[in-house]
Amino acid sequence: MKKISIIIYFSILLATSGIAQPFADIATFNYQTFTSDYKNVSLKNKTDNYFLNLFLPKEFKNGHMLLIRINSEYLYSSFTSSPGYALASVSLPLGFQLVTKDKKWKTVLIAIPKIASDFRDEMSTNDFQMGGIFLQNYIVNDRLKLKAGLYYNREAFGNFFVPLAAIDWKATNRINLYGIIPTNYRVEVNIVKNKLYSGLGFKSFTRSFRLSKNEHEDYVRYDEIQIKYFIDYFIYKKFLLFGEIGYAMGKNPLQYVYNTKTPYEGNSVFTPVKNGPVFNVGVAYRMRFDLNP
């Protein structure tokens, strides 16, 4: 079981990343940390996230593209002077992008099988989730793209649907707006030509993890909402360092009773905390499609 846990924890986000931005991250690793006071007790919570992702696209002569991803997350939450609790997930988004002959329309279809658990028991069907994405893109011109679609996942708390919509707009050669609302959207400025990028971003990311039999097979739900300032810097060719500082406004990881939406009061780690600052740093191998001449 330990070997399986290591593979799950550190095998190669957000399933929608890469299909709605002027770049593709072939490989990324990042660390995010959030520290805040609990609302009901005089203790401080610390939640650390580690993400490791791979993207393997295959483009065909007609412009269609096969999309293969491996996304993983390791989450460790603890409070003052107490052992923490670890959660993890690994997903394998597999999809296809269809392009019309005039290149005006692009349709993205992705299936997302996922395992999300504390991995304290042998894996079972309770740890498995299944989701998908439908996203329709209309390319108005080289500077403007319209998008609409739907995200679905069978979370531990039930069916979870998110309507998707956005406008990608290259306002100038230096200013770019892109992403998908409500999951991830950015206003980006190219400060140093093709080298240094900075701006403001919004992130909304909901996921759930099944707990072990010792925790009555309850689940943890994480409703993450952030506003942040980011910096992306290419240190060498396509190798990128990035950092973010922001403010978390959503709900921290909270435990709920099995097959209900009732909060569980018995786990001191997964109880409500106050809003506060969040920090994120990482590295990536990034291919940009909008480099300025």
Side-chain angles (χ1 to χ4, degrees):
M1 185 61 198
K2 289 184 179 179
K3 291 183 178 179
I4 294 177
S5 297
I6 292 172
I7 293 172
I8 294 295
Y9 291 166
F10 298 106
S11 66
I12 311 304
L13 157 231
L14 222 194
T16 56
S17 64
I19 61 175
Q21 53 198 23
F23 59 81
D25 287 340
I26 304 303
T28 63
F29 173 78
N30 62 291
Y31 163 70
Q32 176 180 283
T33 184
F34 170 80
T35 302
S36 183
D37 295 324
Y38 283 100
K39 290 183 177 180
N40 302 322
V41 293
S42 298
L43 296 171
K44 188 176 291 291
N45 170 274
K46 188 174 190 294
T47 297
D48 296 323
N49 288 82
Y50 301 85
F51 300 91
L52 185 60
N53 307 317
L54 283 179
F55 179 41
L56 306 171
K58 168 62 177 177
E59 188 172 6
F60 300 97
K61 292 182 179 179
N62 55 11
H64 301 331
M65 184 177 294
L66 177 67
L67 307 171
I68 302 174
R69 283 188 173 275
I70 306 175
N71 298 334
S72 68
E73 175 183 8
Y74 174 72
L75 183 152
Y76 189 80
S77 192
S78 62
F79 62 87
T80 307
S81 67
S82 174
Y85 204 103
L87 304 170
S89 70
V90 61
S91 64
L92 182 63
L94 179 63
F96 213 79
Q97 178 178 269
L98 302 171
V99 183
T100 58
K101 289 184 178 180
D102 61 4
K103 309 298 183 182
K104 285 288 188 180
W105 293 91
K106 292 183 180 181
T107 303
V108 176
L109 298 168
I110 300 177
I112 311 173
K114 180 180 181 181
I115 297 172
S117 172
D118 62 7
F119 294 98
R120 295 191 173 191
D121 296 332
E122 295 295 327
M123 284 186 290
S124 70
T125 55
N126 279 340
D127 303 323
F128 181 75
Q129 301 175 10
M130 189 66 199
I133 296 171
F134 165 76
L135 188 67
Q136 188 68 58
N137 298 262
Y138 177 66
I139 293 83
V140 179
N141 52 49
D142 291 341
R143 291 183 173 271
L144 185 63
K145 180 194 296 184
L146 309 178
K147 295 170 293 185
L150 181 69
Y151 169 79
Y152 165 77
N153 195 53
R154 177 63 182 181
E155 299 283 351
F157 53 82
N159 296 319
F160 183 59
F161 292 92
V162 180
L164 307 173
I167 297 175
D168 285 358
W169 179 36
K170 190 174 179 64
T172 71
N173 286 338
R174 299 271 180 168
I175 301 175
N176 220 344
L177 289 77
Y178 59 85
I180 296 180
I181 297 172
T183 59
N184 199 349
Y185 201 78
R186 279 184 162 194
V187 179
E188 176 192 80
V189 179
N190 185 193
I191 297 174
V192 178
K193 185 176 179 181
N194 301 335
K195 188 79 172 179
L196 176 65
Y197 299 81
S198 184
L200 298 176
F202 172 82
K203 174 185 175 183
S204 175
F205 185 14
T206 293
R207 64 268 202 203
S208 60
F209 305 82
R210 181 66 67 182
L211 301 181
S212 61
K213 292 179 181 178
N214 286 340
E215 296 292 335
H216 316 293
E217 295 187 330
D218 290 349
Y219 67 91
V220 169
R221 173 170 173 163
Y222 192 4
D223 293 308
E224 191 175 22
I225 301 176
Q226 300 175 3
I227 294 178
K228 52 195 176 182
Y229 170 76
F230 68 88
I231 295 179
D232 297 340
Y233 180 70
F234 284 93
I235 55 174
Y236 178 73
K237 294 185 177 179
K238 295 180 175 62
F239 290 93
L240 179 84
L241 287 178
F242 61 88
E244 299 175 344
I245 179 172
Y247 191 76
M249 302 177 295
K251 294 180 180 179
N252 62 296
L254 301 176
Q255 184 170 340
Y256 292 82
V257 177
Y258 176 77
N259 268 359
T260 74
K261 296 184 179 180
T262 303
Y264 177 72
E265 304 291 341
N267 191 326
S268 299
V269 176
F270 301 123
T271 58
V273 304
K274 299 176 182 178
N275 296 338
V278 60
F279 304 92
N280 183 35
V281 294
V283 295
Y285 184 82
R286 176 171 295 180
M287 300 178 64
R288 289 202 69 110
F289 313 126
D290 64 340
L291 297 181
N292 297 320

